[in-house]
Short mmCIF file of all heavy atoms in Angstrom, two decimals:
data_model
loop_
_atom_site.label_atom_id
_atom_site.label_comp_id
_atom_site.label_asym_id
_atom_site.label_seq_id
_atom_site.Cartn_x
_atom_site.Cartn_y
_atom_site.Cartn_z
N MET A 1 0.84 -1.25 0.04
CA MET A 1 -0.07 0.04 0.06
C MET A 1 0.86 1.28 -0.04
O MET A 1 1.72 1.41 0.86
CB MET A 1 -0.90 0.01 1.23
CG MET A 1 -1.92 -1.16 1.31
SD MET A 1 -3.32 -0.85 0.13
CE MET A 1 -4.26 0.29 1.17
N PHE A 2 0.69 2.03 -1.04
CA PHE A 2 1.48 3.21 -1.08
C PHE A 2 1.08 4.32 -0.10
O PHE A 2 1.84 5.11 0.42
CB PHE A 2 1.45 3.95 -2.50
CG PHE A 2 2.09 3.02 -3.54
CD1 PHE A 2 1.39 2.47 -4.69
CD2 PHE A 2 3.50 2.77 -3.44
CE1 PHE A 2 2.00 1.69 -5.51
CE2 PHE A 2 4.11 1.94 -4.38
CZ PHE A 2 3.40 1.46 -5.49
N LEU A 3 -0.16 4.33 0.14
CA LEU A 3 -0.80 5.46 0.92
C LEU A 3 -1.17 4.94 2.31
O LEU A 3 -2.14 5.29 2.89
CB LEU A 3 -2.02 5.96 0.29
CG LEU A 3 -1.82 6.59 -1.12
CD1 LEU A 3 -3.07 7.03 -1.74
CD2 LEU A 3 -0.83 7.75 -0.98
N ASP A 4 -0.28 4.10 2.88
CA ASP A 4 -0.53 3.48 4.12
C ASP A 4 -0.47 4.56 5.27
O ASP A 4 -0.85 4.14 6.37
CB ASP A 4 0.33 2.27 4.46
CG ASP A 4 1.83 2.60 4.63
OD1 ASP A 4 2.10 3.83 4.32
OD2 ASP A 4 2.64 1.75 4.87
N ASP A 5 -0.05 5.70 4.95
CA ASP A 5 -0.11 6.83 6.02
C ASP A 5 -1.50 7.27 6.31
O ASP A 5 -1.72 7.94 7.26
CB ASP A 5 0.91 7.84 5.66
CG ASP A 5 0.47 8.60 4.45
OD1 ASP A 5 -0.20 8.06 3.59
OD2 ASP A 5 0.91 9.79 4.28
N LYS A 6 -2.39 6.77 5.38
CA LYS A 6 -3.84 7.10 5.72
C LYS A 6 -4.48 5.97 6.45
O LYS A 6 -5.62 6.09 6.82
CB LYS A 6 -4.63 7.26 4.34
CG LYS A 6 -4.22 8.53 3.56
CD LYS A 6 -5.25 8.68 2.37
CE LYS A 6 -5.03 10.15 1.82
NZ LYS A 6 -3.89 10.29 1.02
N PHE A 7 -3.77 4.93 6.71
CA PHE A 7 -4.43 3.90 7.55
C PHE A 7 -4.61 4.41 8.90
O PHE A 7 -3.78 5.05 9.52
CB PHE A 7 -3.40 2.70 7.59
CG PHE A 7 -3.89 1.52 8.24
CD1 PHE A 7 -4.59 0.49 7.40
CD2 PHE A 7 -3.72 1.15 9.48
CE1 PHE A 7 -5.10 -0.60 7.95
CE2 PHE A 7 -4.24 0.05 10.08
CZ PHE A 7 -4.87 -0.85 9.32
N PRO A 8 -5.81 4.00 9.43
CA PRO A 8 -6.15 4.54 10.77
C PRO A 8 -5.40 3.84 11.84
O PRO A 8 -5.58 2.68 12.15
CB PRO A 8 -7.67 4.25 10.90
CG PRO A 8 -7.94 3.18 9.87
CD PRO A 8 -6.90 3.26 8.83
N TYR A 9 -4.39 4.46 12.43
CA TYR A 9 -3.60 3.85 13.46
C TYR A 9 -4.24 3.89 14.76
O TYR A 9 -3.73 3.39 15.69
CB TYR A 9 -2.21 4.61 13.58
CG TYR A 9 -1.26 4.31 12.40
CD1 TYR A 9 -1.11 5.23 11.44
CD2 TYR A 9 -0.66 3.05 12.31
CE1 TYR A 9 -0.15 4.91 10.45
CE2 TYR A 9 0.21 2.72 11.26
CZ TYR A 9 0.44 3.70 10.29
OH TYR A 9 1.20 3.43 9.29
N GLY A 10 -5.29 4.66 14.89
CA GLY A 10 -5.95 4.83 16.19
C GLY A 10 -5.58 6.17 16.80
O GLY A 10 -6.16 6.54 17.73
N GLY A 11 -4.65 6.86 16.08
CA GLY A 11 -4.32 8.21 16.58
C GLY A 11 -4.86 9.16 15.63
O GLY A 11 -5.98 9.12 15.20
N GLY A 12 -3.95 10.03 15.17
CA GLY A 12 -4.31 10.98 14.13
C GLY A 12 -4.55 10.36 12.80
O GLY A 12 -4.12 9.17 12.58
N PRO A 13 -5.08 10.99 11.86
CA PRO A 13 -5.29 10.44 10.49
C PRO A 13 -4.02 10.12 9.81
O PRO A 13 -4.03 9.31 8.92
CB PRO A 13 -6.03 11.63 9.78
CG PRO A 13 -5.81 12.85 10.57
CD PRO A 13 -5.50 12.46 11.97
N SER A 14 -2.97 10.81 10.08
CA SER A 14 -1.67 10.60 9.47
C SER A 14 -0.52 10.67 10.42
O SER A 14 0.39 11.47 10.22
CB SER A 14 -1.46 11.38 8.24
OG SER A 14 -1.42 12.70 8.56
N GLY A 15 -0.59 9.88 11.56
CA GLY A 15 0.49 9.97 12.51
C GLY A 15 1.76 9.56 11.86
O GLY A 15 1.75 8.72 10.88
N PRO A 16 2.91 10.04 12.41
CA PRO A 16 4.20 9.57 11.84
C PRO A 16 4.45 8.11 12.01
O PRO A 16 4.13 7.68 13.11
CB PRO A 16 5.19 10.49 12.58
CG PRO A 16 4.49 10.83 13.81
CD PRO A 16 3.04 10.95 13.52
N SER A 17 5.11 7.55 11.06
CA SER A 17 5.44 6.12 11.28
C SER A 17 6.95 6.05 10.77
O SER A 17 7.36 6.67 9.93
CB SER A 17 4.56 5.18 10.46
OG SER A 17 4.57 5.55 9.06
N CYS A 18 7.57 5.02 11.39
CA CYS A 18 8.99 4.83 11.01
C CYS A 18 9.15 4.20 9.70
O CYS A 18 8.46 3.32 9.28
CB CYS A 18 9.51 3.85 12.16
SG CYS A 18 11.20 3.24 11.92
N GLN A 19 10.03 4.78 8.94
CA GLN A 19 10.31 4.30 7.54
C GLN A 19 10.88 2.88 7.49
O GLN A 19 10.74 2.25 6.45
CB GLN A 19 11.22 5.26 6.79
CG GLN A 19 10.62 6.68 6.70
CD GLN A 19 9.61 6.87 5.60
OE1 GLN A 19 8.92 5.87 5.20
NE2 GLN A 19 9.31 8.04 5.15
N ALA A 20 11.50 2.46 8.56
CA ALA A 20 12.17 1.21 8.56
C ALA A 20 11.19 0.03 9.00
O ALA A 20 11.05 -0.87 8.24
CB ALA A 20 13.34 1.23 9.51
N CYS A 21 10.52 0.25 10.09
CA CYS A 21 9.70 -0.84 10.59
C CYS A 21 8.17 -0.67 10.36
O CYS A 21 7.44 -1.51 10.69
CB CYS A 21 9.89 -1.15 12.07
SG CYS A 21 9.56 0.25 13.07
N LYS A 22 7.95 0.58 9.85
CA LYS A 22 6.60 1.00 9.47
C LYS A 22 5.65 1.09 10.75
O LYS A 22 4.47 1.13 10.47
CB LYS A 22 5.95 0.03 8.50
CG LYS A 22 6.79 -0.12 7.10
CD LYS A 22 6.98 1.17 6.43
CE LYS A 22 7.82 0.99 5.14
NZ LYS A 22 8.12 2.26 4.60
N ARG A 23 6.22 1.00 11.81
CA ARG A 23 5.30 1.11 13.04
C ARG A 23 5.15 2.61 13.40
O ARG A 23 6.01 3.46 13.12
CB ARG A 23 5.90 0.38 14.35
CG ARG A 23 5.97 -1.11 14.04
CD ARG A 23 6.56 -1.84 15.23
NE ARG A 23 6.76 -3.20 14.98
CZ ARG A 23 5.71 -4.16 15.20
NH1 ARG A 23 4.63 -3.70 15.72
NH2 ARG A 23 5.87 -5.42 14.92
N MET A 24 4.15 2.96 14.17
CA MET A 24 3.86 4.30 14.46
C MET A 24 4.91 4.80 15.44
O MET A 24 5.53 4.08 16.25
CB MET A 24 2.56 4.41 15.17
CG MET A 24 2.01 5.79 15.41
SD MET A 24 0.30 5.84 15.96
CE MET A 24 0.48 5.20 17.69
N ILE A 25 5.28 6.08 15.23
CA ILE A 25 6.25 6.73 16.14
C ILE A 25 5.40 7.43 17.22
O ILE A 25 4.62 8.26 16.94
CB ILE A 25 7.13 7.68 15.37
CG1 ILE A 25 8.02 7.07 14.30
CG2 ILE A 25 7.93 8.53 16.35
CD1 ILE A 25 8.79 7.94 13.43
N LEU A 26 5.69 6.88 18.47
CA LEU A 26 5.03 7.44 19.55
C LEU A 26 5.66 8.70 20.12
O LEU A 26 6.86 8.92 19.84
CB LEU A 26 4.91 6.37 20.71
CG LEU A 26 4.32 5.09 20.35
CD1 LEU A 26 4.49 4.06 21.50
CD2 LEU A 26 2.83 5.25 20.01
N PRO A 27 4.85 9.62 20.71
CA PRO A 27 5.50 10.84 21.27
C PRO A 27 6.68 10.60 22.19
O PRO A 27 7.58 11.34 22.19
CB PRO A 27 4.34 11.55 21.94
CG PRO A 27 3.16 11.00 21.28
CD PRO A 27 3.49 9.62 20.95
N SER A 28 6.63 9.50 22.75
CA SER A 28 7.74 9.12 23.79
C SER A 28 8.99 8.44 23.10
O SER A 28 9.97 8.28 23.73
CB SER A 28 7.26 8.22 24.83
OG SER A 28 6.74 7.01 24.27
N ASP A 29 8.77 8.05 21.77
CA ASP A 29 9.92 7.46 21.09
C ASP A 29 11.01 8.46 20.66
O ASP A 29 10.66 9.57 20.27
CB ASP A 29 9.48 6.74 19.85
CG ASP A 29 8.66 5.54 20.17
OD1 ASP A 29 8.87 4.90 21.27
OD2 ASP A 29 7.82 5.12 19.33
N ARG A 30 12.30 8.11 20.72
CA ARG A 30 13.27 9.01 20.28
C ARG A 30 13.41 8.67 18.78
O ARG A 30 13.39 7.53 18.34
CB ARG A 30 14.70 8.67 20.97
CG ARG A 30 14.56 8.95 22.39
CD ARG A 30 15.88 8.70 23.10
NE ARG A 30 16.89 9.52 22.62
CZ ARG A 30 18.22 9.30 22.85
NH1 ARG A 30 18.59 8.30 23.61
NH2 ARG A 30 19.15 10.10 22.37
N THR A 31 13.48 9.71 18.01
CA THR A 31 13.41 9.54 16.54
C THR A 31 14.66 10.26 15.92
O THR A 31 15.26 11.12 16.51
CB THR A 31 12.16 10.17 15.90
OG1 THR A 31 12.11 11.54 16.23
CG2 THR A 31 10.89 9.45 16.48
N LYS A 32 14.81 9.95 14.67
CA LYS A 32 15.93 10.56 13.91
C LYS A 32 15.41 10.69 12.45
O LYS A 32 14.90 9.70 11.89
CB LYS A 32 17.19 9.62 13.92
CG LYS A 32 18.31 10.04 13.02
CD LYS A 32 19.16 11.06 13.68
CE LYS A 32 20.30 11.47 12.84
NZ LYS A 32 21.17 12.48 13.40
N ARG A 33 15.55 11.83 11.97
CA ARG A 33 15.10 12.08 10.51
C ARG A 33 16.38 11.79 9.67
O ARG A 33 17.47 12.39 9.89
CB ARG A 33 14.69 13.46 10.34
CG ARG A 33 14.16 13.73 8.95
CD ARG A 33 13.45 15.04 8.75
NE ARG A 33 12.92 15.26 7.45
CZ ARG A 33 11.75 14.69 6.91
NH1 ARG A 33 11.11 13.95 7.73
NH2 ARG A 33 11.42 14.85 5.65
N VAL A 34 16.18 10.93 8.71
CA VAL A 34 17.23 10.62 7.75
C VAL A 34 16.80 11.11 6.34
O VAL A 34 15.65 10.80 5.79
CB VAL A 34 17.48 9.11 7.75
CG1 VAL A 34 18.63 8.75 6.77
CG2 VAL A 34 17.81 8.63 9.10
N VAL A 35 17.67 11.82 5.70
CA VAL A 35 17.32 12.40 4.47
C VAL A 35 18.31 11.72 3.40
O VAL A 35 19.56 11.77 3.43
CB VAL A 35 17.62 13.94 4.41
CG1 VAL A 35 17.36 14.49 3.00
CG2 VAL A 35 16.66 14.60 5.43
N PHE A 36 17.66 11.22 2.30
CA PHE A 36 18.41 10.58 1.28
C PHE A 36 18.37 11.55 0.09
O PHE A 36 17.24 12.04 -0.26
CB PHE A 36 17.68 9.28 0.82
CG PHE A 36 18.00 8.11 1.75
CD1 PHE A 36 17.24 8.01 2.92
CD2 PHE A 36 18.98 7.11 1.47
CE1 PHE A 36 17.42 6.98 3.87
CE2 PHE A 36 19.11 6.09 2.39
CZ PHE A 36 18.42 6.03 3.53
N ARG A 37 19.45 11.82 -0.55
CA ARG A 37 19.54 12.74 -1.56
C ARG A 37 18.71 12.29 -2.84
O ARG A 37 18.30 13.02 -3.59
CB ARG A 37 20.99 12.95 -2.04
CG ARG A 37 21.21 14.22 -2.82
CD ARG A 37 22.65 14.35 -3.29
NE ARG A 37 22.90 13.25 -4.27
CZ ARG A 37 24.04 13.14 -5.00
NH1 ARG A 37 24.96 14.13 -4.79
NH2 ARG A 37 24.28 12.24 -5.78
N ASN A 38 18.60 10.93 -3.02
CA ASN A 38 17.87 10.43 -4.16
C ASN A 38 16.39 10.23 -3.86
O ASN A 38 15.64 9.67 -4.66
CB ASN A 38 18.47 9.03 -4.55
CG ASN A 38 18.32 7.96 -3.53
OD1 ASN A 38 18.29 8.35 -2.33
ND2 ASN A 38 18.38 6.72 -3.80
N ASP A 39 15.99 10.68 -2.68
CA ASP A 39 14.50 10.62 -2.40
C ASP A 39 14.25 11.84 -1.55
O ASP A 39 13.79 11.77 -0.42
CB ASP A 39 14.30 9.30 -1.55
CG ASP A 39 12.83 9.18 -1.20
OD1 ASP A 39 11.96 9.67 -2.02
OD2 ASP A 39 12.49 8.47 -0.27
N PRO A 40 14.36 13.06 -2.09
CA PRO A 40 14.19 14.27 -1.31
C PRO A 40 12.81 14.42 -0.76
O PRO A 40 12.70 15.09 0.29
CB PRO A 40 14.56 15.41 -2.29
CG PRO A 40 14.35 14.80 -3.67
CD PRO A 40 14.62 13.32 -3.55
N ASP A 41 11.82 13.97 -1.45
CA ASP A 41 10.39 14.10 -0.98
C ASP A 41 9.83 12.92 -0.19
O ASP A 41 8.64 12.89 0.16
CB ASP A 41 9.45 14.55 -2.14
CG ASP A 41 9.39 13.48 -3.14
OD1 ASP A 41 10.02 12.46 -3.02
OD2 ASP A 41 8.72 13.77 -4.28
N GLY A 42 10.70 11.82 -0.06
CA GLY A 42 10.21 10.69 0.62
C GLY A 42 9.27 9.78 -0.15
O GLY A 42 8.78 8.80 0.43
N SER A 43 9.23 9.97 -1.47
CA SER A 43 8.20 9.20 -2.18
C SER A 43 8.69 7.75 -2.36
O SER A 43 7.87 6.91 -2.72
CB SER A 43 7.98 9.83 -3.60
OG SER A 43 9.25 9.90 -4.31
N GLN A 44 10.04 7.56 -2.20
CA GLN A 44 10.52 6.13 -2.33
C GLN A 44 10.52 5.43 -0.88
O GLN A 44 10.96 4.35 -0.81
CB GLN A 44 11.87 6.13 -2.88
CG GLN A 44 11.96 6.61 -4.34
CD GLN A 44 13.29 6.42 -4.96
OE1 GLN A 44 13.89 5.37 -4.97
NE2 GLN A 44 13.93 7.60 -5.29
N GLY A 45 10.00 6.14 0.04
CA GLY A 45 9.96 5.55 1.43
C GLY A 45 11.37 5.49 2.10
O GLY A 45 11.53 4.68 2.94
N LEU A 46 12.21 6.35 1.70
CA LEU A 46 13.56 6.39 2.28
C LEU A 46 13.73 7.58 3.26
O LEU A 46 14.05 7.39 4.44
CB LEU A 46 14.60 6.47 1.26
CG LEU A 46 14.67 5.21 0.29
CD1 LEU A 46 15.63 5.48 -0.85
CD2 LEU A 46 15.22 4.06 1.15
N THR A 47 13.59 8.71 2.65
CA THR A 47 13.68 10.02 3.52
C THR A 47 12.35 10.03 4.51
O THR A 47 11.28 9.82 4.05
CB THR A 47 13.73 11.15 2.64
OG1 THR A 47 14.92 11.11 1.83
CG2 THR A 47 13.65 12.49 3.40
N GLY A 48 12.80 10.33 5.72
CA GLY A 48 11.58 10.48 6.65
C GLY A 48 12.14 10.22 8.11
O GLY A 48 13.30 10.22 8.37
N ASP A 49 11.15 10.01 8.93
CA ASP A 49 11.47 9.82 10.36
C ASP A 49 11.65 8.38 10.72
O ASP A 49 10.85 7.49 10.23
CB ASP A 49 10.47 10.47 11.22
CG ASP A 49 10.37 12.05 10.95
OD1 ASP A 49 11.46 12.58 10.90
OD2 ASP A 49 9.27 12.53 10.99
N TYR A 50 12.65 8.06 11.57
CA TYR A 50 12.92 6.63 11.94
C TYR A 50 12.97 6.65 13.48
O TYR A 50 13.40 7.78 14.07
CB TYR A 50 14.30 6.27 11.44
CG TYR A 50 14.35 6.14 9.89
CD1 TYR A 50 14.30 7.19 8.99
CD2 TYR A 50 14.34 4.85 9.34
CE1 TYR A 50 14.48 6.94 7.73
CE2 TYR A 50 14.47 4.56 7.96
CZ TYR A 50 14.50 5.75 7.19
OH TYR A 50 14.48 5.59 5.81
N HIS A 51 12.60 5.53 14.11
CA HIS A 51 13.06 5.34 15.48
C HIS A 51 14.56 5.45 15.50
O HIS A 51 15.32 5.10 14.64
CB HIS A 51 12.63 4.02 15.95
CG HIS A 51 11.13 3.66 15.98
ND1 HIS A 51 10.52 2.82 15.19
CD2 HIS A 51 10.14 4.32 16.76
CE1 HIS A 51 9.20 2.89 15.43
NE2 HIS A 51 8.93 3.75 16.30
N LEU A 52 14.95 5.90 16.71
CA LEU A 52 16.47 6.10 16.81
C LEU A 52 17.14 4.77 16.51
O LEU A 52 18.16 4.76 15.74
CB LEU A 52 16.78 6.62 18.18
CG LEU A 52 18.24 7.08 18.35
CD1 LEU A 52 18.63 8.23 17.42
CD2 LEU A 52 18.48 7.50 19.78
N ALA A 53 16.68 3.68 17.07
CA ALA A 53 17.35 2.48 16.85
C ALA A 53 17.22 2.02 15.37
O ALA A 53 18.20 1.41 14.93
CB ALA A 53 16.76 1.42 17.75
N CYS A 54 16.20 2.26 14.75
CA CYS A 54 15.98 1.78 13.32
C CYS A 54 16.79 2.60 12.39
O CYS A 54 17.13 2.32 11.27
CB CYS A 54 14.57 1.94 12.95
SG CYS A 54 13.39 0.94 13.87
N SER A 55 17.11 3.82 12.81
CA SER A 55 17.80 4.83 11.95
C SER A 55 19.26 4.53 11.60
O SER A 55 19.77 4.98 10.54
CB SER A 55 17.71 6.31 12.49
OG SER A 55 18.60 6.39 13.57
N ARG A 56 19.90 3.72 12.42
CA ARG A 56 21.30 3.65 12.35
C ARG A 56 21.85 3.13 11.01
O ARG A 56 22.69 3.70 10.44
CB ARG A 56 21.88 2.80 13.51
CG ARG A 56 21.69 3.57 14.86
CD ARG A 56 22.34 2.84 16.03
NE ARG A 56 22.08 3.55 17.28
CZ ARG A 56 21.57 3.02 18.41
NH1 ARG A 56 21.36 1.79 18.39
NH2 ARG A 56 21.39 3.78 19.38
N ARG A 57 21.28 2.00 10.60
CA ARG A 57 21.78 1.47 9.34
C ARG A 57 21.37 2.33 8.19
O ARG A 57 22.06 2.40 7.20
CB ARG A 57 21.39 -0.08 9.18
CG ARG A 57 19.85 -0.27 9.12
CD ARG A 57 19.54 -1.71 9.56
NE ARG A 57 18.09 -1.85 9.70
CZ ARG A 57 17.29 -2.45 8.82
NH1 ARG A 57 17.74 -2.94 7.76
NH2 ARG A 57 16.04 -2.65 9.18
N PHE A 58 20.15 2.92 8.25
CA PHE A 58 19.70 3.82 7.17
C PHE A 58 20.60 5.12 7.13
O PHE A 58 20.73 5.69 6.07
CB PHE A 58 18.27 4.12 7.34
CG PHE A 58 17.46 2.87 6.98
CD1 PHE A 58 17.04 2.03 7.99
CD2 PHE A 58 17.01 2.66 5.72
CE1 PHE A 58 16.31 0.90 7.68
CE2 PHE A 58 16.21 1.56 5.38
CZ PHE A 58 15.89 0.67 6.37
N GLU A 59 20.91 5.51 8.29
CA GLU A 59 21.77 6.81 8.31
C GLU A 59 23.07 6.53 7.69
O GLU A 59 23.60 7.40 6.96
CB GLU A 59 21.90 7.19 9.73
CG GLU A 59 22.51 8.54 9.97
CD GLU A 59 22.57 9.01 11.37
OE1 GLU A 59 22.68 8.14 12.22
OE2 GLU A 59 22.39 10.22 11.61
N SER A 60 23.71 5.38 7.85
CA SER A 60 25.02 5.08 7.21
C SER A 60 24.70 4.98 5.70
O SER A 60 25.61 5.32 4.93
CB SER A 60 25.64 3.87 7.90
OG SER A 60 24.87 2.77 7.83
N LEU A 61 23.65 4.28 5.36
CA LEU A 61 23.33 4.18 3.91
C LEU A 61 23.10 5.59 3.26
O LEU A 61 23.61 5.85 2.18
CB LEU A 61 22.08 3.28 3.74
CG LEU A 61 21.56 3.08 2.34
CD1 LEU A 61 22.67 2.33 1.55
CD2 LEU A 61 20.32 2.26 2.42
N ALA A 62 22.43 6.39 3.95
CA ALA A 62 22.12 7.72 3.41
C ALA A 62 23.50 8.53 3.31
O ALA A 62 23.66 9.30 2.39
CB ALA A 62 21.12 8.46 4.32
N HIS A 63 24.37 8.27 4.27
CA HIS A 63 25.68 8.98 4.27
C HIS A 63 26.31 8.62 2.99
O HIS A 63 26.91 9.55 2.35
CB HIS A 63 26.41 8.63 5.54
CG HIS A 63 27.74 9.35 5.68
ND1 HIS A 63 27.75 10.75 5.94
CD2 HIS A 63 29.04 9.00 5.51
CE1 HIS A 63 28.97 11.11 5.98
NE2 HIS A 63 29.75 10.09 5.78
N VAL A 64 26.39 7.34 2.73
CA VAL A 64 27.07 6.91 1.46
C VAL A 64 26.42 7.49 0.14
O VAL A 64 27.06 8.05 -0.74
CB VAL A 64 27.08 5.34 1.39
CG1 VAL A 64 27.58 4.91 0.00
CG2 VAL A 64 27.87 4.77 2.54
N ILE A 65 25.15 7.46 0.11
CA ILE A 65 24.41 7.88 -1.04
C ILE A 65 24.57 9.43 -1.20
O ILE A 65 24.81 9.86 -2.33
CB ILE A 65 22.86 7.53 -1.00
CG1 ILE A 65 22.71 6.06 -1.09
CG2 ILE A 65 22.04 8.38 -1.84
CD1 ILE A 65 21.26 5.58 -0.88
N ASN A 66 24.51 10.07 -0.13
CA ASN A 66 24.57 11.58 -0.19
C ASN A 66 25.99 12.06 -0.59
O ASN A 66 26.13 13.22 -1.10
CB ASN A 66 24.10 12.22 1.14
CG ASN A 66 22.69 12.03 1.46
OD1 ASN A 66 21.91 11.61 0.64
ND2 ASN A 66 22.31 12.15 2.73
N LEU A 67 26.99 11.23 -0.45
CA LEU A 67 28.34 11.54 -0.81
C LEU A 67 28.71 11.05 -2.21
O LEU A 67 29.75 11.40 -2.77
CB LEU A 67 29.32 11.00 0.16
CG LEU A 67 29.27 11.61 1.58
CD1 LEU A 67 30.37 10.92 2.37
CD2 LEU A 67 29.65 13.11 1.48
N THR A 68 27.71 10.28 -2.81
CA THR A 68 28.13 9.65 -4.12
C THR A 68 27.66 10.62 -5.16
O THR A 68 26.50 11.15 -5.16
CB THR A 68 27.33 8.26 -4.22
OG1 THR A 68 27.70 7.52 -3.16
CG2 THR A 68 27.60 7.55 -5.47
N PRO A 69 28.48 10.87 -6.17
CA PRO A 69 28.13 11.90 -7.23
C PRO A 69 27.00 11.55 -8.11
O PRO A 69 26.33 12.31 -8.60
CB PRO A 69 29.42 12.06 -7.94
CG PRO A 69 30.32 10.83 -7.64
CD PRO A 69 29.81 10.34 -6.30
N TRP A 70 26.76 10.20 -8.32
CA TRP A 70 25.68 9.80 -9.19
C TRP A 70 24.41 9.62 -8.23
O TRP A 70 24.54 9.33 -6.99
CB TRP A 70 25.90 8.54 -9.91
CG TRP A 70 26.62 7.40 -9.16
CD1 TRP A 70 27.98 7.34 -9.19
CD2 TRP A 70 26.10 6.51 -8.28
NE1 TRP A 70 28.29 6.27 -8.34
CE2 TRP A 70 27.23 5.69 -7.82
CE3 TRP A 70 24.82 6.25 -7.85
CZ2 TRP A 70 26.99 4.60 -6.94
CZ3 TRP A 70 24.63 5.16 -6.98
CH2 TRP A 70 25.67 4.44 -6.51
N CYS A 71 23.26 9.70 -8.91
CA CYS A 71 22.11 9.70 -8.17
C CYS A 71 21.31 8.37 -8.39
O CYS A 71 21.18 7.84 -9.45
CB CYS A 71 21.14 10.78 -8.60
SG CYS A 71 19.74 11.18 -7.51
N GLY A 72 20.94 7.73 -7.31
CA GLY A 72 20.19 6.47 -7.38
C GLY A 72 21.12 5.30 -7.17
O GLY A 72 22.27 5.51 -6.94
N PHE A 73 20.55 4.17 -7.36
CA PHE A 73 21.32 3.00 -7.14
C PHE A 73 21.97 2.44 -8.39
O PHE A 73 21.28 2.41 -9.37
CB PHE A 73 20.55 1.86 -6.42
CG PHE A 73 20.09 2.27 -5.06
CD1 PHE A 73 18.85 2.76 -4.83
CD2 PHE A 73 21.02 2.14 -4.00
CE1 PHE A 73 18.49 3.21 -3.59
CE2 PHE A 73 20.54 2.56 -2.74
CZ PHE A 73 19.33 2.99 -2.55
ZN1 LIG B 101 11.25 1.75 13.55
#
């Protein structure tokens, strides 16, 4: 489902969800926003908010991508 952010989580109509595990980000969760240069608007499901624990491997991946002169994989 591309528009799963419209799925009713029981909270707001489009509560934030972790890009890695797709679970809702709770107000008490520590989060990290990871930005991928090849996905500036998050349409590929890469750029966005992650749980702090989930963000680590994506952050290192984003770091590589953002330093790579070509765009995409
Ligand atoms: Zn997560």
